[in-house]
Amino acid sequence: MIVILRPDASPTAVGKVVDAIERQGHAAHISRRGERTVIGVVGSPSEDDREQLRSLDDVEDVVRIGVPYKLVSREFQAADTIVRVGRVEFGGDELVVIAGPCAVESREQVLTIARHIKGCGAHMLRGGAFKPRTSPYSFQGLGEEGLKILKAARDETHLPVVSELLSEDDIDLLARYADMIQIGARNMQNFRLLREAGRMGKPVLLKRGISATIEELLNAAEYVRSEGCEDIVLCERGIRTFERSTRFTLDISAIPVLRQLTHLPVIVDPSHAAGARELVPALARAAAACGAAGIMVEVHPDPSRALSDGPQALTLEMFAELKRDLDRISALMQDLHCAQDLHGAAARSRTNASSA
């Protein structure tokens, strides 16, 4: 249940509503919805509870939400959320393209990639300074030195940086260097880390876990949102199935399903789904045509020598070709949306004329 207060509600009025919710035995989560203060009621409020809250001063409405992920649901907010990272907009008219190495290996490596993808028209630079690896003997990342290298690349190319947060111990470091915080698939249900990420004051990129349902992904996003972070981007990156011809199975249907269920933008990481660079462009094109707000791919100057996930990394030349394809698909999708809008406006005009 969501309690929506009037735009001019005072802090005292908000406090009274919170007190009333807690007296009913429920938890209250305060957030903002445009100019209004919104309080999420977590628990099992009765109809009497709802009417009591509705009668309080400065309460505009009390809305029952039929799903557990209240604040990120389409029921709570019909309009799409636009997430801004610097000048980059997720959920706007332009398809956002994020590219970079799986792991930061050296200054030369990252600057070579950053310069190339910038020249191709990419919008953001990705790179792991801390790497969650299945084997404890695999390359674990350069840590703060890796973040410094990413910052140097951002300073030169002006590409905003997204990097993964693995531990609460690294929060201050990531906040200092990264423009967007990634919560990876392995940590999608690390609920304490999700809460901490929601308090950082940075946009959050939340990846779907390899065995997670869509509802579990949305509940994970609710953890981040309940701590006050409104700038959340969801990422479909493939799930584990019985199929072994790819590293994971890209759930392309998750894009339209999520767009029905949530107002948050959804992007796709085809690199981790495919596990093989030859498959990445086709999956990226499919995701763009299916309505994804962005694509995130791994790129390396010499994938054969990559310290992490080399087989799925695109070469510089492959990325340039993919970016040209994505630009064409994005333009076609924009034309399609414009045509649909015009068709809808014409239909509404005919309906109004006939009713008059």
Side-chain angles (χ1 to χ4, degrees):
M1 193 165 69
I2 301 292
V3 181
I4 304 172
L5 279 74
R6 295 187 176 89
D8 57 350
S10 66
T12 301
V14 173
K16 289 181 178 179
V17 175
V18 170
D19 289 343
I21 292 170
E22 292 177 346
R23 284 197 302 272
Q24 292 174 350
H26 314 306
H29 288 277
I30 302 174
S31 59
R32 298 288 297 175
R33 183 178 179 182
E35 298 179 351
R36 289 171 169 77
T37 297
V38 175
I39 305 174
V41 182
V42 180
S44 301
S46 65
E47 193 60 34
D48 288 342
D49 293 338
R50 181 181 178 184
E51 291 306 316
Q52 180 186 3
L53 295 173
R54 193 191 297 275
S55 68
L56 296 176
D57 292 341
D58 292 317
V59 170
E60 184 175 272
D61 199 5
V62 180
V63 180
R64 186 175 295 280
I65 304 295
V67 291
Y69 45 89
K70 304 178 189 304
L71 300 177
V72 304
S73 72
R74 186 70 78 174
E75 292 179 58
F76 170 64
Q77 179 179 312
D80 291 338
T81 289
I82 305 296
V83 175
R84 294 175 177 84
V85 185
R87 296 181 180 179
V88 178
E89 289 189 350
F90 292 87
D93 294 332
E94 191 171 12
L95 179 75
V96 175
V97 177
I98 309 171
C102 176
V104 175
E105 299 168 8
S106 69
R107 183 183 180 91
E108 179 183 5
Q109 171 229 22
V110 172
L111 287 175
T112 297
I113 296 171
R115 291 164 183 159
H116 180 79
I117 67 171
K118 173 72 173 182
C120 294
H123 304 89
M124 289 186 66
L125 173 66
R126 60 146 294 152
F130 300 93
K131 295 302 301 177
R133 305 302 299 277
T134 302
S135 169
Y137 308 112
S138 299
F139 177 62
Q140 305 290 314
L142 297 180
E144 184 173 7
E145 181 58 29
L147 291 172
K148 289 179 179 178
I149 292 171
L150 289 170
K151 179 181 181 299
R154 179 186 61 204
D155 291 344
E156 178 179 323
T157 63
H158 305 291
L159 293 171
V161 167
V162 55
S163 195
E164 185 171 356
L165 175 67
L166 294 187
S167 166
E168 298 160 60
D169 296 335
D170 302 323
I171 285 175
D172 291 340
L173 276 179
L174 266 293
R176 194 183 315 155
Y177 292 104
D179 302 289
M180 187 178 205
I181 305 302
Q182 176 181 310
I183 301 295
R186 290 175 175 85
N187 275 316
M188 192 209 80
Q189 290 186 307
N190 182 340
F191 301 121
R192 184 169 177 177
L193 190 65
L194 293 175
R195 289 191 183 279
E196 293 295 337
R199 300 182 186 123
M200 288 179 66
K202 297 269 188 177
V204 172
L205 175 62
L206 178 61
K207 284 194 166 188
R208 182 181 181 183
I210 63 174
S211 301
T213 65
I214 287 175
E215 181 170 309
E216 287 167 341
L217 172 62
L218 291 172
N219 276 313
E222 188 78 3
Y223 270 91
V224 180
R225 180 64 182 84
S226 68
E227 296 300 328
C229 177
E230 299 183 4
D231 296 320
I232 305 168
V233 176
L234 304 177
C235 181
E236 165 60 40
R237 45 82 70 210
I239 53 176
R240 178 169 287 168
T241 69
F242 55 81
E243 183 56 62
R244 290 294 175 264
S245 58
T246 54
R247 184 177 181 182
F248 295 98
T249 299
L250 182 63
D251 184 5
I252 202 75
S253 64
I255 303 168
V257 170
L258 283 166
R259 293 189 65 183
Q260 286 183 341
L261 297 177
T262 181
H263 52 85
L264 300 178
V266 182
I267 71 168
V268 170
D269 172 358
S271 297
H272 279 89
R277 72 179 63 87
E278 295 81 8
L279 303 177
V280 170
L283 297 181
R285 292 192 296 265
C290 202
I295 305 294
M296 181 163 70
V297 294
E298 293 183 356
V299 180
H300 198 285
D302 187 357
S304 65
R305 297 188 177 185
L307 298 181
S308 176
D309 287 346
Q312 66 197 36
L314 299 177
T315 64
L316 300 182
E317 294 76 15
M318 290 179 71
F319 176 76
E321 183 178 354
L322 173 60
K323 183 61 171 65
R324 289 192 291 269
D325 289 346
L326 292 176
D327 287 343
R328 289 192 284 267
I329 294 172
S330 182
L332 288 171
M333 294 298 292
Q334 289 183 37
D335 290 344
L336 177 61
H337 292 154
C338 288
Q340 290 173 336
D341 291 342
L342 289 173
H343 178 75
R348 288 190 295 272
S349 178
R350 290 193 296 270
T351 300
N352 293 337
S354 63
S355 63

